[in-house]
Amino acid sequence: MTSADRPGGPGDPDLAAIAGDPLPSERQPLSTERIVDAAVAFIDEHGLPGLTMRRLGTELGVEAMALYRYVPGKEDLLDAVVDRMIARMRADADVLDEPRDGWQDFLVRLAHGVRRIALEHPKAFPLVASRPPEAPWLRPPLRSLDWVEVFLTGLLSEGFTDEAAVAAYRAYTSFLLGHLLLEVANHGADVGPLDVLDDEQGTPEGLDAYPTVQRLRAALSQDRAAVEFEESLEGLLDRMTLLRNEHLA
């Protein structure tokens, strides 16, 4: 009888040792990269609240204690998940490290790169807003010193003053975070105090007192996230143009 047939089931390393079976970690060795990839996959499937070191160990076929050789604790694991998501933009061929066709094109590409990460991992994306950044004064979702450097240097090379570049950074990050947190909430992400109405539910109690809202509910419930993202980004770029010109005057 193998460890798969014994109480505890497959993936129990102690039963595997008793039975003489190869340990799961021997069949596919653990690494920090594999653990972080498994954490991202777990969050994508089950959501962030369900992630524990024990459950992640079960997914990998090892005891939770085996993970601590590579990740000191859950907090460090979540930091690594954030780093992995932000680093994914480096592999996005559409995201630039510097402006090539003007700063507007540069920022549009970066914004869509962040949005693609949010849509690819909606349940993990709120971590970008909640995890402690490398420096406490960095603003999500551009929480990496590398990306903040890219952002500011890119704008400065396009004629922004220091003051205008900082103001643009604040406006840009506020736009991205606010829009994308609302969007991933509609994709099932746990975003804490944000409460998104499930359109499949019946009419909420008390809505009869608001006939206009009730009449327009279908229109209000339409998913226009992509259109709104484009429109809001266009408006933001217009405001940033004014900021740039004001500081040049």
Side-chain angles (χ1 to χ4, degrees):
M1 181 169 60
T2 68
S3 61
D5 303 313
R6 298 170 184 262
D12 188 320
D14 292 326
L15 289 177
I18 294 170
D21 299 335
L23 296 177
S25 57
E26 292 174 349
R27 295 194 295 268
Q28 188 176 359
L30 285 178
S31 67
T32 302
E33 182 176 4
R34 184 179 169 219
I35 292 170
V36 175
D37 285 343
V40 173
F42 183 95
I43 295 170
D44 285 344
E45 182 175 358
H46 304 289
L48 181 60
L51 178 66
T52 65
M53 298 296 276
R54 180 182 61 80
R55 288 173 179 167
L56 185 59
T58 299
E59 291 287 320
L60 290 166
V62 300
E63 289 186 338
M65 291 303 297
L67 305 180
Y68 290 98
R69 293 178 54 193
Y70 304 89
V71 183
K74 184 178 176 180
E75 295 298 307
D76 302 275
L77 175 62
L78 296 181
D79 287 337
V81 168
V82 171
D83 291 342
R84 177 63 53 82
M85 288 192 294
I86 297 301
R88 283 291 300 275
M89 287 193 295
R90 286 290 184 194
D92 190 330
D94 197 51
V95 177
L96 304 177
D97 285 338
E98 59 184 11
R100 296 178 188 171
D101 297 301
W103 63 269
Q104 293 96 334
D105 172 76
F106 171 66
L107 295 188
V108 167
R109 289 171 176 269
L110 181 58
H112 282 282
V114 178
R115 183 170 183 257
R116 283 191 286 274
I117 294 297
L119 294 180
E120 184 179 4
H121 304 290
K123 294 181 180 179
F125 185 77
L127 281 172
V128 176
S130 62
R131 302 304 306 153
E134 299 174 46
W137 34 266
L138 290 182
R139 296 162 62 98
L142 299 181
R143 311 200 59 158
S144 160
L145 285 169
D146 287 340
W147 279 112
V148 175
E149 183 72 14
V150 165
F151 180 95
L152 295 175
T153 301
L155 294 193
L156 292 174
S157 72
E158 290 289 312
F160 281 70
T161 64
D162 288 353
E163 294 81 5
V166 170
Y169 168 71
R170 290 173 177 163
Y172 188 80
T173 51
S174 294
F175 154 73
L176 279 180
L177 190 65
H179 185 97
L180 294 179
L181 278 180
L182 285 171
E183 189 166 3
V184 298
N186 279 314
H187 286 270
D190 181 359
V191 291
L194 285 179
D195 186 15
V196 178
L197 179 64
D198 181 357
D199 291 331
E200 298 301 321
Q201 295 177 349
T203 302
E205 292 184 10
L207 197 56
D208 289 341
Y210 304 94
T212 304
V213 174
Q214 186 169 348
R215 178 173 57 83
L216 297 178
R217 179 178 176 178
L220 293 171
S221 300
Q222 289 178 358
D223 183 1
R224 299 185 70 253
V227 173
E228 290 171 359
F229 185 84
E230 293 287 354
E231 291 175 346
S232 298
L233 181 57
E234 183 177 347
L236 174 65
L237 295 178
D238 289 342
R239 294 198 300 273
M240 291 170 71
T241 299
L242 293 176
L243 276 172
R244 176 181 180 274
N245 294 341
E246 286 174 2
H247 285 282
L248 287 177

